[in-house]
Amino acid sequence: MEYGKHQAPARYESGDGCLTTLVRIPVRIVVLVLVLPVRMVWDALVAGARAADRILLRPLGRALAWLFEVLVAIPARWLYAQVLTPLGHGLRWLAVAVFVWPWVALWRYVVVPVVRYGIVVPLVRLYEQVLTPVGHGLRWIRQALLVPAGRGIATAVKWLLTVVFVMPVVLLWRYVLKPLGLAVAWLAEHLIVLPLVWTYRELLTPLGHGIAWLLDLLVRGVEAGCRGLWAAARWLVTVLLVSPVVWVYRRILAPVGREIAAAFGVAWRVAGFISRAVGRALAWLAWHLIGAPVAWAYRAVCTPVGHFLRDAVLAPAGRAALAAGRTARQTLRTARETVRQARRDAWRALVGGEREPRPREPEGLSARTLGSTTTVPSAAPEPEISLRKEKSVQQG
């Protein structure tokens, strides 16, 4: 009883009535029936895509990467390092030798000397020896003669222009044009401007204010009428159109949409559980029908047979192949050395060659005859490995 008392208000607070609860379960059952095949197909496609990625796409990608590395990248690197780089160095050297060095030599050994000793040096000497003294003389003549004469001529011309042109214009402006302009301005101000200002201020301004007041009254009346019409139209639209649409959306469409969305979510999760259960059952059947027999056959039959073939056939065959390869390589090496020696001997027999220098005997061992061509009858041969007497005496 206490549990029911505490749980009932929460159910009624959520806003779900009895009709909604009764409709929800059939809707979810129908949606589950519709969604279950789609979810099973989706899970099958996902499992197939993952299996294809692990079994086919990744090995295929690694194989394609290896093929690209072997067939494209390594030849391209070798071509770049062994062919294109030396060719580029050679072309660069050739281009420098053909297009750069001739112009550098022409500039360094022809243009610069010609310009320096044929143009610059004569011009510098002409400037220093001829033009500079001439310029100094002309400057002295200008400062000593031309500047005073020019100042006097400019003063005379200025006085003449002032007397002939400036003074008449100033007198005409001061005593004729200025008084006449002042009189005309006084007449215009008292006969035209003052009447116009009085007309604007006393007649036109009050008339404009009255017209503006009438227009303002008309505009306010029109605005009040439009505002009332707009309020009435808005009220009619709200009552006849907006309120029914809002009520239908809030009371019918929104609950139905929420229920359908919730039903699809629940159905999708339940279908996932069912799909995974079916998948595990199929996997269990596949393992017990195919995987377990294949694994038992591999462990009980293929592995012993493979070990027997490896130990009894492949290992001896490999050792024999290695021994045969070593023997063949040794034979080829011996034959190659024999042919090389025979070629050297034949070449010496045909052309002749220098004799190999014999090792010189030590000077201090006069009694040793090993390796010498002469034989001393009275000298006793020394042992092949012996020390000098002086060193043995010092060491003793």
Side-chain angles (χ1 to χ4, degrees):
M1 295 298 290
E2 295 295 331
Y3 179 77
K5 290 180 180 179
H6 289 291
Q7 292 297 325
R11 183 178 61 186
Y12 287 112
E13 287 177 1
S14 62
D16 296 336
C18 299
L19 183 61
T20 304
T21 306
L22 292 175
V23 172
R24 180 180 298 167
I25 296 174
V27 169
R28 291 189 177 183
I29 293 173
V30 173
V31 172
L32 176 62
V33 172
L34 296 176
V35 170
L36 181 59
V38 178
R39 181 57 188 263
M40 294 185 69
V41 172
W42 174 259
D43 290 339
L45 291 176
V46 170
R50 290 177 180 175
D53 179 61
R54 291 182 180 178
I55 297 173
L56 181 61
L57 295 180
R58 292 182 184 177
L60 182 61
R62 288 193 290 268
L64 291 177
W66 180 81
L67 287 176
F68 180 80
E69 180 71 19
V70 171
L71 298 179
V72 178
I74 294 176
R77 287 197 294 266
W78 180 85
L79 180 65
Y80 176 78
Q82 303 296 329
V83 178
L84 295 180
T85 301
L87 182 61
H89 291 335
L91 291 176
R92 184 181 64 181
W93 181 87
L94 182 63
V96 170
V98 172
F99 295 104
V100 177
W101 290 346
W103 294 104
V104 171
L106 180 64
W107 171 264
R108 185 177 297 172
Y109 300 108
V110 177
V111 175
V112 172
V114 168
V115 171
R116 182 176 181 180
Y117 296 104
I119 299 175
V120 177
V121 173
L123 288 178
V124 169
R125 291 183 179 178
L126 177 65
Y127 175 78
E128 292 178 352
Q129 303 297 329
V130 178
L131 298 179
T132 301
V134 171
H136 291 172
L138 293 176
R139 184 179 64 181
W140 181 82
I141 291 172
R142 181 180 68 83
Q143 292 179 353
L145 299 177
L146 297 180
V147 171
R151 288 176 181 174
I153 293 171
T155 304
V157 170
K158 180 179 178 181
W159 179 83
L160 182 62
L161 291 176
T162 303
V163 171
V164 174
F165 294 102
V166 177
M167 290 300 294
V169 173
V170 170
L171 293 175
L172 179 64
W173 167 258
R174 183 177 298 173
Y175 296 106
V176 177
L177 297 178
K178 185 177 180 180
L180 183 61
L182 293 175
V184 171
W186 184 85
L187 290 175
E189 181 180 359
H190 286 81
L191 296 178
I192 298 173
V193 175
L194 291 178
L196 291 177
V197 169
W198 182 85
T199 302
Y200 175 78
R201 186 178 297 170
E202 300 297 334
L203 296 178
L204 297 180
T205 300
L207 182 62
H209 289 171
I211 293 171
W213 180 75
L214 291 176
L215 293 176
D216 189 18
L217 288 178
L218 292 175
V219 169
R220 288 182 180 179
V222 172
E223 287 182 355
C226 293
R227 192 178 295 112
L229 292 176
W230 172 251
R234 186 173 60 184
W235 180 81
L236 288 175
V237 170
T238 302
V239 171
L240 298 177
L241 183 61
V242 176
S243 296
V245 171
V246 170
W247 184 86
V248 170
Y249 174 77
R250 187 175 296 171
R251 297 299 179 183
I252 298 174
L253 296 180
V256 170
R258 285 196 297 269
E259 290 300 327
I260 292 174
F264 270 101
V266 173
W268 185 262
R269 290 192 293 272
V270 173
F273 295 146
I274 297 173
S275 177
R276 283 192 289 271
V278 172
R280 286 193 290 269
L282 292 177
W284 183 83
L285 289 175
W287 169 251
H288 285 83
L289 295 177
I290 299 173
V294 171
W296 177 84
Y298 177 79
R299 287 195 302 269
V301 179
C302 296
T303 301
V305 172
H307 291 174
F308 174 75
L309 291 176
R310 182 190 63 187
D311 298 334
V313 178
L314 295 179
R319 288 193 292 271
L322 290 176
R326 293 195 194 94
T327 305
R329 286 195 297 272
Q330 187 66 28
T331 304
L332 289 176
R333 191 181 298 110
T334 304
R336 195 182 300 114
E337 187 64 29
T338 304
V339 170
R340 189 182 293 113
Q341 189 65 32
R343 188 174 66 249
R344 290 177 182 173
D345 294 339
W347 180 257
R348 286 198 191 95
L350 291 174
V351 180
E354 297 181 357
R355 294 182 178 179
E356 297 180 358
R358 297 182 179 275
R360 299 179 60 183
E361 297 181 0
E363 297 179 358
L365 301 176
S366 58
R368 185 179 179 124
T369 60
L370 293 175
S372 62
T373 56
T374 58
T375 303
V376 181
S378 60
E382 291 185 356
E384 190 172 349
I385 299 174
S386 62
L387 299 173
R388 294 188 180 182
K389 295 180 180 181
E390 295 81 6
K391 293 182 179 180
S392 61
V393 171
Q394 292 176 0
Q395 291 176 358

